[in-house]
Amino acid sequence: MDPIRLGWLGGAREPWQQRTLDLLRLEPGVETVSLPSEASMSPSNPLGLEVVLVFGDSPDEIPASILPNLPLGVWSLELDPRLVDVGRALDDEPTIGAALVRRWCDRDRILRDTLVDGEFLVRRHSWSKTRRRVLEQVQTWPALAIRRLRTNGHRTGGLVAALPREVGSGGSLPVGSAGAGQLWQLRRRELSGLWRRVGQEFVEQDWNVGVIASSIEHWLGPHLAEAAHREDGGIASILPPQSTRWLPRQGRNLSLADPFVLIHDGRSVVLVESLSHQHGRGVIAAVSGIDEPAVSVSRTVLRSWSHLSYPYCFEHEGTVWCVPEMHEAGRVMLLRADRFPDRWIEDSVLLEGVPVVDPTLFQHEGSWWMLCGRSDWDDWTHLFAWSAPSLHGPWTPHPWNPLRSDVRSTRPAGRPFRIGDRLYRPTQDCSQTYGGAISINEIVELTATSYREVPRLRIVPDPKGPYPDGVHTINSAGSITVIDGKRHFVTSRRLWLQLWRQPQRPQARTAMFDLGPDLDRIGSGVGG
């Protein structure tokens, strides 16, 4: 492994800057050198630096004469201008961007490109919280860029994890002192945000499952084909078909979400998360025959002391498998159907000690892949990957983790699918609200040392439909596609449940799951 000598300029005056240096020093073979000023940087580069990281106000003032002798160039972390001006209003856009930018010399030309970038959720009415959350993420980027560079095996180029973005309009990260007027504006906005959060305690989410009598290829194929040939780079938005059939509600205290459909023994079976608002804990339920006139009663098929959701099920080598989300348990467990969908066997633990969110498994070019979020990171924003030679492992983390950081199109939203020779991945758009829309991304490159995907299409909720406030899962089997939908309604019940709910704590037990066919039924039925 080649050593890398990194000089840093501008002083580590803030905690995030010191953390950035600490993470760089943890990278094998990286040596950091403090540079007191631009004047200390001689064009001959006597310190033998390969890259300079700038924390100062003006990275472009680094003498251009030194760039030919810096193999990796000059790096700077840049924020959206709204986070550089203290107390600036953040209400105009739901997300805010940041980038690790490189200035480097290619022969006689000075170039700028983006090494790592991200799009983060704005904490509206709270400038300080938004800035703090963004800086917690970007402090990892210089070390991440070093890892990506090493896995690509060359010194320049090839570091970009997503499509290039325009840079240069943003500001440098250090923030000057605020005047009394700025601080008053900042406090007033944050007080307004406090009242807004109090109001949210009276807004409840109700999710339900919708059935579309069409395969995902037939429904989305024409839209994705058109998107692949768009010259303006825009992303079209479509609504669920008006013919979408929503299952009857399960009662005041139950929501159904995260539907996964399989065709088994000639019948369509959907596994869903069934969430009790009263207890605040999800179980996995099954609904059979959703394409038939009389839909079978939903029933619980998996329960655990850990919250269960996202029942990712698939067939492989004649067996039905399920990998539910159980991030509270800090593991990813593979379950094997003994009698689908009612009886399951704990087969193996794929990952231990990792709080994975929405584990999504699939095969690609001879390897198994798991794309997911992590609850110990911002799971709305960051994408992680593991790979393995077989379903049972061993599973190896991707050296580029996190692969992407974008609250608009990162968190998994269902099984990847192919149309022709193109591989697509459904993702959640949480920029406006949790599960607000679905972004269909095309995976352009996925290897052990690289990753790139491009958003192609958005599925947004029908504002005139029964569930106008969100859609965040899509799956298909045969000629059936299932989605879920969200509606908001105002009630004081949520606040009372938060006050009086008895939390369910893990109990001393030998089994992770309650498995078997004799679990309680969860509703009065979803038919007719």
Side-chain angles (χ1 to χ4, degrees):
M1 182 178 295
D2 294 336
I4 293 179
R5 191 170 172 85
L6 179 145
W8 52 279
L9 184 66
R13 296 178 295 226
E14 295 190 57
W16 73 267
Q17 295 169 330
Q18 185 58 54
R19 178 61 176 161
T20 299
L21 295 175
D22 291 341
L23 292 172
L24 281 166
R25 291 167 182 146
L26 291 175
E27 291 294 317
V30 174
E31 179 184 356
T32 61
V33 179
S34 175
L35 303 173
S37 66
E38 290 91 339
S40 64
M41 301 178 59
S42 169
S44 63
N45 191 12
L47 296 177
L49 302 176
E50 293 191 88
V51 58
V52 172
L53 176 63
V54 179
F55 285 139
D57 296 325
S58 52
D60 288 334
E61 292 183 6
I62 299 295
S65 58
I66 195 177
L67 289 178
N69 291 317
L70 286 175
L72 302 181
V74 175
W75 297 1
S76 59
L77 285 161
E78 296 188 359
L79 283 182
D80 186 291
R82 291 174 293 167
L83 288 186
V84 177
D85 300 334
V86 177
R88 185 164 173 175
L90 300 175
D91 299 333
D92 50 343
E93 295 290 341
T95 63
I96 201 160
L100 176 63
V101 178
R102 173 177 63 165
R103 195 161 65 106
W104 56 295
C105 184
D106 180 21
R107 298 182 178 87
D108 58 346
R109 298 182 303 160
I110 296 177
L111 305 176
R112 285 169 62 91
D113 60 9
T114 302
L115 302 181
V116 188
D117 67 354
E119 201 73 20
F120 304 94
L121 186 67
V122 167
R123 310 299 182 187
R124 298 186 180 183
H125 308 289
S126 181
W127 179 90
S128 59
K129 182 179 291 187
T130 299
R131 180 177 183 272
R132 182 172 64 253
R133 291 294 298 272
V134 171
L135 293 180
E136 288 174 355
Q137 312 306 320
V138 303
Q139 65 189 10
T140 67
W141 285 357
L144 176 60
I146 293 290
R147 292 200 304 275
R148 291 179 176 179
L149 177 146
R150 282 176 161 162
T151 57
N152 279 331
H154 46 78
R155 290 301 195 191
T156 58
L159 302 184
V160 183
L163 291 179
R165 55 177 278 169
E166 291 294 326
V167 297
S169 60
S172 54
L173 290 174
V175 178
S177 59
Q182 288 177 306
L183 290 177
W184 164 243
Q185 293 291 334
L186 179 61
R187 297 294 177 260
R188 187 175 68 176
R189 291 193 189 101
E190 293 188 346
L191 182 61
S192 174
L194 174 62
W195 282 111
R196 183 172 178 267
R197 289 193 296 275
V198 170
Q200 289 175 342
E201 292 300 318
F202 295 92
V203 177
E204 191 164 332
Q205 300 181 9
D206 179 34
W207 289 89
N208 197 10
V209 173
V211 182
I212 300 168
S214 174
S215 68
I216 203 167
E217 293 84 358
H218 185 266
W219 175 29
L220 299 184
H223 300 286
L224 290 169
E226 180 181 351
H229 296 92
R230 288 183 68 119
E231 297 181 356
D232 59 3
I235 301 174
S237 296
I238 63 172
L239 302 175
Q242 291 188 350
S243 60
T244 300
R245 180 166 60 93
W246 297 95
L247 301 185
R249 290 187 60 200
Q250 297 290 284
R252 287 174 51 85
N253 291 324
L254 287 175
S255 283
L256 299 182
D258 296 349
F260 284 80
V261 61
L262 281 179
I263 306 298
H264 186 72
D265 289 340
R267 295 195 75 199
S268 57
V269 180
V270 178
L271 296 186
V272 297
E273 173 198 356
S274 175
L275 177 66
S276 166
H277 297 293
Q278 183 174 1
H279 300 293
R281 189 167 300 280
V283 300
I284 304 304
V287 182
S288 300
I290 59 170
D291 55 340
E292 300 173 4
V295 183
S296 299
V297 174
S298 61
R299 60 197 184 278
T300 302
V301 295
L302 280 173
R303 182 187 287 122
S304 171
W305 57 259
S306 170
H307 171 79
L308 299 178
S309 62
Y310 200 75
Y312 192 94
C313 58
F314 57 98
E315 288 195 56
H316 176 60
E317 296 181 345
T319 300
V320 177
W321 306 87
C322 184
V323 184
E325 178 196 316
M326 45 192 305
H327 73 268
E328 290 179 355
R331 63 175 53 172
V332 178
M333 181 168 283
L334 179 66
L335 304 179
R336 184 175 75 255
D338 182 53
R339 190 180 70 206
F340 181 76
D342 299 292
R343 188 185 296 276
W344 297 87
I345 297 173
E346 297 180 15
D347 184 87
S348 58
V349 176
L350 304 184
L351 292 178
E352 186 68 78
V354 185
V356 164
V357 172
D358 296 344
T360 300
L361 281 68
F362 61 99
Q363 290 179 286
H364 177 65
E365 295 185 351
S367 296
W368 278 88
W369 292 92
M370 181 192 304
L371 301 181
C372 57
R374 294 182 57 148
S375 63
D376 53 350
W377 285 61
D378 183 348
D379 53 45
W380 292 10
T381 304
H382 302 289
L383 178 67
F384 292 81
W386 276 259
S387 62
S390 70
L391 176 58
H392 290 85
W395 290 86
T396 302
H398 199 287
W400 282 27
N401 281 338
L403 301 183
R404 292 188 65 224
S405 301
D406 193 331
V407 72
R408 302 167 302 179
S409 59
T410 293
R411 181 166 175 161
R415 298 190 198 101
F417 59 92
R418 294 185 182 274
I419 298 180
D421 60 352
R422 296 178 182 267
L423 176 61
Y424 295 98
R425 184 176 78 92
T427 66
Q428 295 186 40
D429 180 352
C430 298
S431 60
Q432 298 281 357
T433 178
Y434 171 69
I438 291 174
S439 174
I440 304 296
N441 298 354
E442 181 184 352
I443 298 179
V444 178
E445 185 177 3
L446 173 57
T447 72
T449 59
S450 63
Y451 185 79
R452 189 163 71 91
E453 64 180 9
V454 183
R456 295 297 192 194
L457 182 70
R458 295 179 76 246
I459 304 172
V460 299
D462 185 349
K464 298 181 181 179
Y467 296 92
D469 298 312
V471 53
H472 82 338
T473 309
I474 179 171
N475 285 290
S476 185
S479 60
I480 299 172
T481 299
V482 290
I483 60 174
D484 54 10
K486 178 176 71 168
R487 70 182 185 97
H488 291 149
F489 60 96
V490 178
T491 176
S492 61
R493 183 166 62 103
R494 180 170 181 262
L495 182 60
W496 285 109
L497 286 175
Q498 292 287 346
L499 293 174
W500 295 105
R501 176 185 297 160
Q502 296 295 320
Q504 299 179 3
R505 300 295 183 186
Q507 304 295 322
R509 55 194 302 164
T510 58
M512 174 63 66
F513 296 97
D514 290 328
L515 303 168
D518 299 321
L519 298 175
D520 295 337
R521 294 156 91 86
I522 64 168
S524 58
V526 291

